[in-house]
Amino acid sequence: MRGTTTESNWRKIYKYIPQSKYHVSDLGEDIRGLLIYVTVAFTTAYLMDIPIILKLVGMKYLPLILAARMYAPFLAVIAVITLTRKPILRGLKELGIRLSMKNLKYFFLGAGIPYAIYALGTLYAYILGFRVVNPVAKLPLAKIFGPVNALIIALAGAYIAAITVNTALALGEEIGWRGYLYTLLRPRFGLTVSSIIIGTMWALWHAPLILYLGYNYPHHRDIVGLGMFVLICSVWSYIMLYLREVSGSVLPPATMHGAINALGGLMMFTVDVKDEVYSMPVGLLSILASLTLAILIATLPRTKMLPSLR
């Protein structure tokens, strides 16, 4: 009886939420699935953080932990699919693990979007008076090929990494954030609100790393760093959800995610500023650049919806 009453209350609340034209599945099942997803994704990731936070293992193991951590959302999705008693491969395909010749262009476009963010962020840095430098000018590669050629090589290498190993790693997260949560939230809340919800959850999933290790924000192991990450993740989520929507696949968001990770170092050292909250890839310059692209994307038509959401 208690479960019936709770679901009834949720339905009373839900009737006040603006409805979309897309199919909405059973609310009670969705709530149970969401609770399982959040529990598994967050608990698994947070447990992985403990050895580093408590210094039980050295920081040299952090890259391995971060790589494994990216598959916590994947485990959560498997748990939800198991709950629905669907074949796992079928469930993953329904959530967007698909790539065809028709949407192959979005796969490569996804990896290119962070380059546009990088270029816009650099432009905004010039406009705002920040000192902009070649991030590889002092590396041995620059002495061999020259600073400009070295930068071109680094950018090309980052793209190759983005569409290969980085995409493979990012897919562990994207099947959750832009896969499962997209199909769950998009029909009820639309693209913008879904982006904010997913972006906030995505950022909070990183919270222990930011607050205890200074991940991305070494000068802001506090609410400022976490708040900035919520903003950037929400804007990125809008762009990624657009890619997810027009392609019908979770792979283009994964290539964008992979490219962000691949370009992060270059972006960080392009703007000569001590406080990362003002710079790239997760500071104000990146937020301005990403928001510019998001606004442009908002004007584009979205006609290729997934059949399950029509």
Side-chain angles (χ1 to χ4, degrees):
M1 292 296 293
R2 181 176 298 177
T4 302
T5 302
T6 301
E7 185 168 326
S8 176
N9 290 336
W10 270 100
R11 290 188 181 279
K12 288 178 181 178
I13 295 171
Y14 176 63
K15 71 180 183 179
Y16 295 106
I17 300 174
Q19 304 297 296
S20 78
K21 61 183 179 181
Y22 305 109
H23 169 70
V24 180
S25 57
D26 180 73
L27 182 62
E29 182 179 327
D30 285 351
I31 292 172
R32 288 190 292 272
L34 179 61
L35 289 175
I36 289 173
Y37 175 82
V38 170
T39 300
V40 175
F42 279 71
T43 301
T44 303
Y46 286 7
L47 286 175
M48 290 184 187
D49 298 337
I50 291 175
I52 290 290
I53 292 173
L54 297 182
K55 299 181 180 180
L56 300 177
V57 299
M59 289 297 290
K60 65 181 180 180
Y61 295 104
L62 181 59
L64 292 177
I65 291 176
L66 291 178
R69 198 180 191 278
M70 295 179 80
Y71 268 78
F74 177 82
L75 292 178
V77 167
I78 295 298
V80 174
I81 293 175
T82 302
L83 172 71
T84 61
R85 298 181 180 179
K86 289 182 180 179
I88 290 177
L89 291 179
R90 174 190 165 192
L92 292 175
K93 185 176 180 180
E94 289 178 355
L95 293 179
I97 296 187
R98 55 165 73 90
L99 187 65
S100 65
M101 292 303 296
K102 291 182 179 180
N103 58 32
L104 188 61
K105 62 182 179 181
Y106 295 108
F107 181 86
F108 295 107
L109 175 63
I113 287 177
Y115 285 80
I117 294 172
Y118 187 9
L120 278 173
T122 303
L123 175 61
Y124 284 138
Y126 273 116
I127 293 173
L128 295 174
F130 289 101
R131 182 169 177 262
V132 176
V133 299
N134 184 332
V136 299
K138 296 182 180 180
L139 297 182
L141 190 66
K143 296 180 180 179
I144 299 173
F145 298 100
V148 175
N149 289 333
L151 180 58
I152 293 172
I153 293 171
L155 291 171
Y159 189 86
I160 293 172
I163 61 175
T164 53
V165 63
N166 280 25
T167 291
L169 291 173
L171 187 59
E173 287 192 42
E174 293 308 315
I175 190 61
W177 308 127
R178 262 63 64 173
Y180 172 68
L181 290 182
Y182 166 81
T183 60
L184 184 69
L185 300 175
R186 172 65 173 93
R188 290 189 169 91
F189 300 109
L191 197 65
T192 301
V193 175
S194 296
S195 300
I196 295 171
I197 295 172
I198 294 171
T200 300
M201 293 177 66
W202 186 23
L204 293 178
W205 184 75
H206 291 84
L209 299 175
I210 295 171
L211 299 177
Y212 291 98
L213 300 178
Y215 180 74
N216 285 332
Y217 302 96
H219 295 93
H220 293 280
R221 303 184 184 193
D222 50 31
I223 193 64
V224 174
L226 186 57
M228 289 293 294
F229 205 53
V230 168
L231 289 175
I232 191 64
C233 284
S234 295
V235 179
W236 282 345
S237 287
Y238 184 90
I239 300 171
M240 290 176 173
L241 290 185
Y242 173 80
L243 289 171
R244 170 73 168 87
E245 193 153 281
V246 297
S247 69
S249 171
V250 77
L251 292 173
T255 63
M256 178 177 166
H257 190 157
I260 290 171
N261 290 342
L263 284 174
L266 294 174
M267 296 171 80
M268 182 184 305
F269 293 107
T270 295
V271 182
D272 187 12
V273 59
K274 293 182 179 180
D275 194 335
E276 65 282 345
V277 81
Y278 298 108
S279 187
M280 297 184 287
V282 290
L284 287 174
L285 289 173
S286 187
I287 290 175
L288 287 173
S290 300
L291 189 59
T292 301
L293 284 181
I295 292 172
L296 291 174
I297 286 172
T299 66
L300 299 176
R302 295 187 293 275
T303 58
K304 298 180 180 180
M305 306 300 180
L306 285 176
S308 60
L309 293 179
R310 292 187 182 208

